[in-house]
Amino acid sequence: MIKDTIVDGIQNAPHRSLYHALGLTKEEQSRPLIGIVSSHNEIVPGHMNLDKIVEAVKIGVAMAGGTPIVFPAIAVCDGIAMGHEGMKYSLVTRDLISDSTEAMVKAHGFDGLVMVPNCDKNVPGLLMAAARLNIPTIFVSGGPMLAGRVNGKKTSLSSMFEAVGAYNAGKIDEKQLCVCEENTCPTCGSCSGMYTANSMNCLTEVLGMGLKGNGTIPAVYSARIELAKHAGMQVMELVRKNIRPLDIMTASAIRNALTADMALGCSTNSMLHLPAIAHECGVEFSLDMANDISAKTPNLCHLAPAGPTYMEDLNEAGGVYAVLSEINKLGLLDTTVMTCTGKTLGENLEGAVNRDPSVIRVVDNPYSTTGGIAVLKGNLATEGCVVKRSAVSDEMLVHEGPARVFDCEEDAQAAINSGKIVAGDVVVIRYEGPKGGPGMREMLNPTSAIMGMGLGNSVALITDGRFSGATRGACVGHITPEAASGGLIGVVEEGDIISINIPENKIELKVDEAVLAERMKNFVPKQKELSGYLKRYAALVSGGASGAILNI
């Protein structure tokens, strides 16, 4: 065991004295030391319950013969950070989380790890750390929030953002907005739709790094506490068998995750996080894989914001494994891959049943025969861009219109709120990419305003930034190369015609090539005055098409 190099022998007496300072008995020091990475804090609704999850994990570890030791990871609430400068500090925390976890584990010599994340960047950040450290590791998330109830109907955070757009358009009054505000987020947990946090917690199951129910058991259910105890017990089995993350997160497992992504209709942010996780695993990942897999994978779920069902409904329908059992009927999964259960995916799938075909459609009756995410390419995005196809209305799958160009989110938001965006427009928001933002802000405010004002079936939005999983509509993000890196999006002018064809995976700026060549010849990307962590991040970060990984 790793701890033997720190605990055993005369030369390690000073180390043992420090363990005694922690109150650890000789018996505890003799057992495997299990690090529990806790993302608990009191500002993120998805993390406020993680102290309870961590206590349950500790019990599970101790029950199975290990010594649990807790240390923290930071977390940003994307909902609270949305629409202002704080969102620049969201994606960048993924690397802070990964790096700081690596530092803590390497410094203290743990034998195994239990990762306890819940929200958007903590899950991928800790998956990246798990791959990098490659010691026996299991995940247990804090679980999703229950759906809200407004006027007798289920609702979620995406509806709250759209309600602001409806208020600005005069469609609802302040009293109605207040009713939404007070009833949309009724419990702790990650927001109740298939947004980024829940997408990544579900994909953690598919990758084999979390137990069944990790992605779907609601935060307030007692079953979540039981799951945490089982995760604590199971990590000890992983330590005994020396089953490590790189034994689990193989190329086949990552391909399985991308397949499940298409069936579930996950957030477009998965197209940032899966490449970054694959990179840490030493697995090649190309955005082109997405369209190849999408072409074969039916979209079976329309959870919010794509439809009227929520994470609690997916859980009751059988959860992630019920979805996997459906797509496995088409032979789309590699069921031989190892998982954190110590069994193969195929063994784990035995007995999985789809209990509600209205929530998880059967493969013979999908929402679409192709997956929930599409990667588009063209002169405007030679390296690719991403759209959540399952959340786009039929009339907007193909759209062509004049560009309305903005160099930041705030300017676009002001134009939308003041009624300057009209049917047919293509809103262009640039200098919001990984390098140009920096930090690749999510554009939930403008996309929600467009939907709330009734323009969702007539206006498209494209950006070198990204979107919340709560975004719906013809919203195309991750345009690469970004404006700050000299991408063509940087020379789009007001009124230029932009063509978006999602079924054909194409996006084009319809301007004469000679004109574009002249524009590019004279193009000097705008530079921002930066300091602190954002300055370092902007200097190192790659484009969205490669997962916004750091080039080191």
Side-chain angles (χ1 to χ4, degrees):
M1 291 186 290
I2 298 171
K3 76 164 184 66
D4 293 345
T5 62
I6 295 176
V7 175
D8 293 347
I10 296 298
Q11 73 280 5
N12 288 323
H15 301 77
R16 292 194 295 274
S17 71
L18 292 169
Y19 283 136
H20 283 297
L22 291 170
L24 293 180
T25 66
K26 289 182 178 179
E27 291 81 4
E28 287 174 301
Q29 293 180 42
S30 71
R31 299 168 182 165
L33 298 181
I34 305 300
I36 302 174
V37 187
S38 172
S39 301
H40 171 257
N41 65 41
E42 295 182 348
I43 188 62
V44 183
H47 290 225
M48 63 178 286
N49 66 319
L50 294 190
D51 54 342
K52 306 295 189 298
I53 302 298
V54 166
E55 286 303 312
V57 171
K58 289 174 68 177
I59 291 170
V61 169
M63 286 170 62
T67 298
I69 307 286
V70 180
F71 64 88
I74 62 169
V76 165
C77 177
D78 280 19
I80 294 174
M82 196 70 64
H84 58 89
E85 198 75 5
M87 180 47 72
K88 294 183 178 183
Y89 287 88
S90 171
L91 179 60
V92 304
T93 64
R94 186 185 70 183
D95 296 280
L96 284 175
I97 292 161
S98 183
D99 293 349
S100 60
T101 301
E102 175 191 1
M104 287 294 290
V105 173
K106 289 291 189 182
H108 299 104
F110 294 102
D111 295 300
L113 296 169
V114 182
M115 306 294 200
V116 187
N118 207 26
C119 289
D120 298 33
K121 308 312 161 309
N122 293 73
V123 182
L126 291 178
L127 284 165
M128 290 162 65
R132 193 183 301 173
L133 293 161
N134 200 33
I135 63 174
T137 302
I138 195 168
F139 277 65
V140 57
S141 76
M145 183 184 292
L146 293 179
R149 300 292 194 281
V150 174
N151 299 325
K153 294 182 179 180
K154 288 184 179 181
T155 189
S156 62
L157 186 64
S158 56
S159 299
M160 188 65 245
F161 277 89
E162 290 178 17
V164 174
Y167 172 80
N168 288 332
K171 293 176 178 283
I172 62 173
D173 59 22
E174 189 172 353
K175 183 178 179 179
Q176 291 171 297
L177 183 65
C178 187
V179 169
C180 294
E181 176 185 332
E182 293 174 352
N183 294 280
T184 292
C185 298
T187 74
C188 63
S190 48
C191 296
S192 57
M194 187 53 83
Y195 309 149
T196 305
N198 292 326
S199 294
M200 295 311 300
N201 283 321
C202 287
L203 295 183
T204 297
E205 275 189 63
V206 185
L207 283 168
M209 293 297 291
L211 297 174
K212 181 180 179 181
N214 178 73
T216 60
I217 297 173
V220 294
Y221 283 14
S222 297
R224 175 64 57 178
I225 299 296
E226 293 182 33
L227 183 73
K229 290 177 182 176
H230 282 131
M233 289 186 276
Q234 185 58 28
V235 75
M236 296 304 298
E237 188 68 15
L238 296 176
V239 170
R240 280 188 281 271
K241 292 182 177 178
N242 197 29
I243 298 174
R244 304 179 180 220
L246 295 185
D247 299 323
I248 295 171
M249 291 192 288
T250 62
S252 291
I254 289 168
R255 192 173 181 86
N256 284 346
L258 189 51
T259 302
D261 189 333
M262 297 299 171
L264 285 163
C266 290
S267 163
T268 52
N269 280 316
S270 64
M271 292 294 101
L272 286 174
H273 301 321
L274 284 176
I277 294 163
H279 175 74
E280 294 289 352
C281 294
V283 173
E284 278 193 40
F285 189 106
S286 165
L287 280 189
D288 294 332
M289 291 168 56
N291 287 340
D292 291 342
I293 289 176
S294 177
K296 305 170 188 173
T297 308
N299 178 228
L300 304 181
C301 300
H302 267 194
L303 283 83
T309 54
Y310 298 83
M311 295 305 296
E312 63 199 63
D313 302 312
L314 178 61
N315 187 62
E316 291 169 13
V320 171
Y321 272 82
V323 176
L324 295 180
S325 70
E326 283 291 341
I327 56 178
N328 195 42
K329 294 174 183 176
L330 300 176
L332 297 177
L333 300 173
D334 182 345
T335 58
T336 68
V337 295
M338 178 53 63
T339 73
C340 65
T341 64
K343 299 177 181 178
T344 66
L345 177 61
E347 290 174 300
N348 292 343
L349 280 173
E350 291 176 9
V353 176
N354 180 358
R355 296 195 289 264
D356 190 346
S358 70
V359 176
I360 305 169
R361 290 200 174 184
V362 297
V363 290
D364 294 332
N365 182 37
Y367 284 102
S368 66
T369 57
T370 54
I373 288 177
V375 172
L376 314 184
K377 285 190 175 182
N379 66 348
L380 200 49
T382 55
E383 295 176 33
C385 55
V386 180
V387 62
K388 189 170 184 175
R389 173 167 39 195
S390 59
V392 179
S393 62
D394 289 344
E395 53 265 57
M396 289 301 290
L397 289 171
V398 178
H399 180 77
E400 186 170 293
R404 305 299 308 280
V405 183
F406 306 94
D407 286 346
C408 66
E409 177 188 359
E410 288 84 355
D411 290 350
Q413 186 70 44
I416 296 166
N417 290 347
S418 62
K420 294 178 180 177
I421 303 302
V422 299
D425 284 347
V426 178
V427 176
V428 178
I429 307 178
R430 61 194 181 193
Y431 292 103
E432 292 287 7
K435 186 178 295 292
M440 206 177 187
R441 285 198 287 180
E442 291 183 342
M443 303 290 142
L444 181 57
N445 275 1
T447 61
S448 296
I450 287 169
M451 297 301 298
M453 296 175 80
L455 295 171
N457 291 333
S458 60
V459 170
L461 187 150
I462 71 171
T463 180
D464 52 11
R466 61 194 179 96
F467 299 115
S468 164
T471 285
R472 64 189 177 107
C475 302
V476 182
H478 309 193
I479 286 185
T480 314
E482 60 177 294
S485 295
L488 194 68
I489 189 173
V491 298
V492 177
E493 295 183 358
E494 191 81 5
D496 285 349
I497 301 300
I498 294 174
S499 172
I500 301 168
N501 190 318
I502 296 171
E504 294 185 7
N505 305 116
K506 293 179 180 177
I507 184 167
E508 294 286 336
L509 176 60
K510 301 186 80 172
V511 174
D512 184 84
E513 288 186 13
V515 174
L516 291 180
E518 188 63 24
R519 289 185 192 175
M520 291 298 289
K521 179 181 173 182
N522 299 313
F523 177 42
V524 178
K526 293 183 177 181
Q527 301 292 322
K528 296 179 180 177
E529 289 292 327
L530 301 173
S531 62
Y533 181 54
L534 289 184
K535 184 175 183 177
R536 297 199 304 275
Y537 184 85
L540 295 173
V541 71
S542 70
S546 57
I549 60 174
L550 298 185
N551 294 312
I552 51 176

